[in-house]
């Protein structure tokens, strides 16, 4: 929906465009802007680092340890390897989710703002929920003029789906029905002119 001088809120994560989040700063968010979601796809990799700090493929590291005798394997190194596996699978799930959402949006809801090129926001009711969820410390009040889209985190595709299934499920995100549970986890995407009015917290 089109909005003009709409008051919304953004929970800022450190090291994410820190220079933009200053009181009275004004900037444009359009298809040239790359969000954190937007970086999930091109930044995805399966790299891990060995004990010497050299990077390599996680698959080769796992293959190496599978070929070693179990009694020769260092438990601490194995724990590090499992942590890498967990991190990469989590990143893969996130990347698959963002790919599915963008493919679905491009194919069926192209008039809506892309998660890859939008800033994320919340209304006043959602500040505490999202501040806790995102572990963000800085909350900014914004004045927005442009295209605002409301959906809910509960409508994101599940991790246990294939990419094809995720694309289908993504339709619920882009065409949301706000049952009470979805309303509790509502989120907003925005493209347009942003005025950072003030820092609240």
């Amino acid at each position: 929906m089109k909005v003009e001088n709409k008051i919304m809120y953004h929970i800022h994560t450190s090291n994410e465009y820190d220079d933009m989040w200053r009181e009275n700063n004004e900037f444009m968010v359009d298809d040239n802007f790359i969000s954190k979601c937007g970086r999930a796809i091109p930044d995805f990799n399966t790299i891990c680092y060995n004990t010497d700090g050299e990077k390599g493929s996680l698959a080769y590291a796992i293959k190496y340890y599978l070929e070693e005798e179990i009694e020769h394997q260092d438990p601490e190194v194995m724990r590090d390897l499992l942590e890498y596996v967990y991190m990469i699978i989590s990143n893969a799930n996130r990347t698959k989710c963002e790919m599915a959402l963008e493919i679905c949006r491009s194919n069926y809801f192209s008039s809506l703002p892309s998660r890859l090129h939008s800033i994320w926001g919340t209304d006043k009711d959602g500040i505490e929920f999202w501040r806790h969820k995102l572990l963000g410390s800085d909350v900014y009040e914004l004045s927005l003029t442009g295209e605002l889209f409301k959906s809910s985190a509960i409508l994101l595709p599940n991790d246990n789906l294939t990419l094809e299934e995720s694309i289908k499920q993504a339709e619920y995100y882009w065409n949301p029905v706000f049952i009470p549970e979805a309303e509790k986890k509502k989120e907003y995407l925005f493209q347009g002119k942003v005025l950072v009015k003030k820092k609240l917290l």
Side-chain angles (χ1 to χ4, degrees):
M1 66 176 165
K2 296 288 185 186
V3 295
E4 186 172 355
N5 301 321
K6 172 81 172 172
I7 299 300
M8 298 293 289
Y9 303 89
H10 177 81
I11 291 129
H12 174 59
T13 304
S14 295
N15 301 318
E16 295 286 335
Y17 297 108
D18 288 341
D19 57 322
M20 289 169 39
W21 299 103
R22 292 177 284 108
E23 289 187 2
N24 300 312
N25 190 35
E26 191 171 279
F27 56 90
M28 288 294 297
V29 176
D30 57 23
D31 288 342
N32 294 314
F33 176 80
I34 307 296
S35 67
K36 188 174 183 179
C37 294
R39 290 197 306 276
I41 296 170
D43 287 353
F44 177 72
N45 65 74
T46 59
I47 292 169
C48 70
Y49 294 85
N50 66 20
T51 53
D52 297 326
E54 297 174 350
K55 71 178 182 180
S57 168
L58 179 62
Y60 287 120
I62 292 171
K63 184 174 186 288
Y64 171 79
Y65 284 103
L66 287 174
E67 291 173 348
E68 290 290 301
E69 293 293 331
I70 193 72
E71 60 266 21
H72 299 300
Q73 295 180 12
D74 182 340
E76 189 174 327
V77 173
M78 289 302 297
R79 179 176 176 80
D80 289 345
L81 187 60
L82 284 173
E83 286 179 355
Y84 270 115
V85 171
Y86 171 77
M87 180 185 72
I88 285 175
I89 290 173
S90 296
N91 287 341
N93 283 334
R94 179 171 171 238
T95 302
K96 179 185 66 175
C97 176
E98 295 303 337
M99 287 177 63
L101 287 160
E102 183 59 14
I103 291 168
C104 181
R105 187 199 68 82
S106 297
N107 289 344
Y108 307 111
F109 304 95
S110 58
S111 64
L112 298 178
S114 168
R115 285 171 59 89
L116 310 184
H117 305 288
S118 296
I119 64 162
W120 177 94
T122 187
D123 56 23
K124 201 164 191 177
D125 294 339
I127 291 175
E128 284 309 310
F129 172 81
W130 284 111
R131 190 168 179 237
H132 174 74
K133 184 79 172 171
L134 299 174
L135 304 176
S137 56
D138 299 336
V139 179
Y140 289 90
E141 182 179 293
L142 313 176
S143 175
L144 306 179
T145 298
E147 187 68 29
L148 185 68
F149 171 70
K150 176 184 175 183
S151 192
S152 175
I154 203 171
L155 301 174
L156 294 169
N158 297 325
D159 287 348
N160 60 345
L161 300 176
T162 66
L163 178 59
E164 184 177 0
E165 291 168 337
S166 296
I167 294 167
K168 182 67 178 169
Q169 193 178 66
E171 293 182 29
Y172 295 107
Y173 181 88
W174 295 115
N175 189 25
V177 174
F178 281 94
I179 60 172
E181 192 175 358
E183 189 69 32
K184 287 178 187 175
K185 298 181 180 181
K186 60 186 178 293
E187 60 184 41
Y188 296 81
L189 304 176
F190 176 77
Q191 282 190 327
K193 186 175 75 173
V194 178
L195 170 62
V196 182
K197 294 192 71 176
K198 57 185 176 182
K199 182 178 177 180
L200 299 183
L201 299 169

